[in-house]
Amino acid sequence: MKNFFARIASRMQRFMYGRYGSDELTLFLMGTALVFLLLSWVLWVFYFVGAALLIWATFRSLSRNVAARQRERNRYLRLIAKPKNFFKLQKNKFRDRKTHKYFHCTHCRAILRVPKGKGTLDVTCPRCHKITVKKT
Ligand SMILES: [Zn+2]
């Protein structure tokens, strides 16, 4: 039985050799497809959207055109970078809400973090090296 699974794993490895495999975009497509397939219980049209996303994810995983898949992945990562950073900042602001204060540099709009309760501080921005006076 162990030999049987080893043979299947070996065949699978041979099948996937030279193919793109999985990445962030594929996982996102599969997750979205799952949501649409669950929504198809409410409205049948969602079934086709979910199935199309699943087919797209499978196509991407099995594709041998690695360069094109990497371009798609990079486009996807650029697209989600801004919202991802926004939510990361909100999470950090909430985590540090009792110990630190966040604000924008008045010169270059960079986001700065200073400890709370230290009086009025002269904060030097690490990006533009200009000083902002901030009450903490
Ligand atoms: Zn600055």
Side-chain angles (χ1 to χ4, degrees), residues 103-129:
F103 64 98
H104 288 278
C105 171
T106 51
H107 306 284
C108 71
R109 304 286 299 152
I111 297 163
L112 305 175
R113 187 182 81 139
V114 291
K116 268 187 177 176
K118 302 287 180 189
T120 305
L121 297 175
D122 290 343
V123 183
T124 306
C125 174
R127 191 200 282 173
C128 67
H129 303 288

Side-chain angles (χ1 to χ4, degrees), residues 90-107:
Q90 298 310 313
K91 189 184 122 200
N92 288 345
K93 273 183 180 177
F94 185 76
R95 183 195 64 203
D96 301 339
R97 68 190 180 282
K98 287 179 181 167
T99 55
H100 291 82
K101 196 167 193 171
Y102 285 78
F103 64 98
H104 288 278
C105 171
T106 51
H107 306 284

